[in-house]
Amino acid sequence: MIFFRYNLYFIYFLIFFYPYCLRADTTDFLKRGFGLAEKQYSLLYKNHKDLTKYPRSADPSGKTTFTDIRDWTGGFWPGCLWYVFEYTGDDQWRDAALKWTNSLRQNQFNTHHHDIGFVMNCSYGNAYRLTGDTAFKSILIQSAKSLLTRFNAKVGAIKSWDTFSSWDSKHKYEFPVIIDNMMNLELLFLASKLSGDSVYRNAAIRHAETTLKNQYRPDYSSYHVVTYDPNTGAVLSRETAQGFSDNSAWARGQAWGLYGFVVMYRETKDPKFLQAALNMADFYARHPRLPEDGVPLWDFDVDQAGFIPNWDYRKEDFSTIPRDASAAAVTASALLELVEYMEPGQEQDYLDLAEKILRSLGSPKYASEVGGNGLFILKHSVGSIPHKGEIDVPLVYADYYYLEALTRWNKRRHRLAQLMKEWQDMNRQKAQALTDFQQQKFGLFIHWGLYAIPGGIWNGQKIEDLGSPSVAEWIQLVAKIPRSTYAKLADQFSPESFDADNIVKMAKDAGMKYLVVTSKHHDGFALYDSKVSSFNSIQATPFKRDIIQELYDACLRHKLDFGVYYSQNIDWRDGSDAQYTVTKAQHDLAYTKTDAFGANLWDPSENSFPSYLNEKAIPQVKEILTRFKQLKYIWFDMPGLMTAEQSFRFYKTVYDCNPHVIVSERIGNGMGDYAIPGDNRIPDPSEHFNQPWEAIGTFNHSWGYKSYDHDWKNVDELRYWLLEIVSKGGNYMLNIGPDAQGNIAAPVKNNLAILGKWLQLNGEAIYGTSPWITAHEGPTVIRITDTEQREREGFRASFTASDFWFTQKNGFIYAMALVLPLNGIVNVRTLNQNKAKVKSVEILGFGQVHFQQDDYGLQLKLPKNMQNSSLGYALKIKLG
């Protein structure tokens, strides 16, 4: 537990200013698309083991056809596997993707064609993006270096094919550039980021500028092939190779160009590239011959007047003009990135078109049946009709860009707003549970686990000498203890003094209304009998008792509400590196820093973070909620680098199991039901919360047991915390850390007992109250900012008889004091006759008293029988 702030401004902005982005549920076509991919690719992967042959298409009988490592399409198959892994989080897909990616390694030295970008960026680029493995950096840089050998500075472009012969066979050109080449520039930008060398970036920009100048017509349709004089850079011809005619708009060429110029804007932020992409998108979206389903004819100008093919085209060979699902998939993916760069309110048409395309491609017309279509996802793509090859067939690159588009749709900007709307709908159902929570005011927090055994000391060194943070439950991270070594602590865990009933009775006698205990902390060790992970108090220790079950049962007996803490993001045993490496790789490309705080970077588990979520964290949360049916709270912690989708998944998991369980803010991404101002922190008076909130604090300076920390909060400090928090409208959850035997320190028990007696007398002024117009009056002002400040400065306070804390309930105002006046005369300045008319005054536990009001406040004299009280008093005041 470490305090950190969440920046919710972006989330609030989306909620309040992007209502038009909240759309109907779209998980149907996402699930169908990826579900089909899993089924088809499972069969393809199972049946095809030859790593030298890459799936490309299907023959007329529906049997998969393959190509070799030299082909331009090799990278799409591992790329498809990477997208399935990204969606499912299942490590079997990661392992498959890695296997097929690594089989392409020798292509980093391929200088024979421009499509090295397709081959290596779709495979190794995705591998680096999704694993963060730095071993892939050198391969990607070398691949870009190979691609750069084809750049000609005089032309200002990268040579596509080695030569190109026109269809009339009259001309053969030495420097052809095809529109497809725009797709390979992304590799160059990536290489510049990874290497720090701008040579790759500069070449990409030159190529794009040359293409924009020479390859586009005024309506932003593109020529397929432009040939140049390699010595002068002069344009020699503008032709087609795969389109209908030299002046036609070949559909996939339009898609390649659109996608490429969107990438150019992403990487340069040059407005000319954005405007070009917008014009290209408009050409596609508004074309009169675009079919209603958004999937284009293979060429927009087939059989139209003024467009004459100079290859062997016979109209009678086609009963209908073939569609090209690959062009549609590339376009949908490009549009879903393009809308990220548009002004709010202008992107809806493109979002609608992208959705239409994806729904069409996911429909029976274009989507395969399981087991058919060469085991690909999409039907009805076109390779090259002029070359009479791959006509109306599946194509691996159609699948790749379809899955990429689905992935982008799932991540699109207004997805967060949609998630927040769904979250709001669920959150509203918890109104009564949150009201009940606000009334309770005081609870017990328990941090307990294997870390109680070292008690803040490892190999003779205190945790403060080893590093930071200095709270004892973080000993595994601070001391960099290997997972296997730390796991051996379980052999020593046998806390025979643990008595759930005594702990719960102690909390109840202290006036606490609820209890929250660590079911699993950052070390991954569970205090209950988990069927998901054997690393728990039943299966891994000689203790063999279910601690959570015993505390839960005791809370039910003593009528205390029960909750659990669960570390959802950090799990040093099974949670890999909390997706730090993956996130850092993505952040590095955007030149932003990545915070590794809390991540296991010294000995991360070999599984991926998505598989940890799928196979441990989510199942354990379900397990807890299913077993403990009267659970009231789940206290998530340390969301770190979790995405909004991941936080939402935890929230919905809780809601689906029990819609009345409330969730702490630290689920992350603004999706908690109640706020946490920070660890060992009391909010300043200027801070306001638009939801219930809970301040949390330790009894000493550690959450888990620290054997040498005996700086316990005394009764006055505890009462100050409680009054300061409650008067501002919050709850106070006070933490204890039992030792390795399950004992509670004597000062903890004694001070809680005294506090409980005070609450028996004055609890009416605490429980079920809300803030009054004034929280506190008096000279004593103490700022409590964090654990370190309290530990460094101690608690120095001289409360005076002029210090009062206020609450209100049922038409009464309560004024609470920690100190009695020496002369027995009380004066509450805030309640002067100009501010309020007092009707009656009662001292809780002592009855009504006479009073008077004037311009200086409310005055009364304390009864003699309470003037020796050392614990202050509470006034119950009725206003007229």
Side-chain angles (χ1 to χ4, degrees), residues 24 30 66 225 518 527 568 741 776:
L30 285 168
F66 301 92
V225 188
T518 50
L527 294 183
Q568 82 280 22
Q741 291 302 312
H776 169 255

Side-chain angles (χ1 to χ4, degrees), residues 243-316:
F244 183 69
S245 66
D246 290 343
N247 60 337
S248 70
W250 173 49
R252 194 165 63 250
Q254 294 303 128
W256 291 145
L258 168 61
Y259 190 112
F261 279 98
V262 172
V263 170
M264 289 304 302
Y265 180 71
R266 177 218 301 161
E267 299 297 340
T268 67
K269 293 299 182 287
D270 188 328
K272 72 171 178 282
F273 293 135
L274 176 60
Q275 189 58 55
L278 290 169
N279 291 336
M280 294 168 200
D282 276 346
F283 177 86
Y284 185 104
R286 306 187 195 289
H287 200 285
R289 300 196 72 211
L290 179 68
E292 180 60 31
D293 63 6
V295 179
L297 310 176
W298 72 274
D299 190 300
F300 282 98
D301 300 308
V302 174
D303 298 329
Q304 297 301 295
F307 298 92
I308 302 172
N310 52 12
W311 51 278
D312 182 20
Y313 171 70
R314 293 184 302 174
K315 185 176 181 179
E316 57 270 19

Side-chain angles (χ1 to χ4, degrees), residues 373-400:
N373 196 42
L375 302 179
F376 293 97
I377 307 172
L378 297 182
K379 301 180 288 186
H380 305 313
S381 288
V382 171
S384 176
I385 288 182
H387 294 92
K388 296 181 171 56
E390 298 177 329
I391 302 172
D392 196 25
V393 295
L395 288 171
V396 66
Y397 48 89
D399 279 18
Y400 176 86

Side-chain angles (χ1 to χ4, degrees), residues 811-823:
F812 291 95
I813 294 168
Y814 298 90
M816 292 166 282
L818 295 177
V819 176
L820 276 67
L822 293 176
N823 60 3

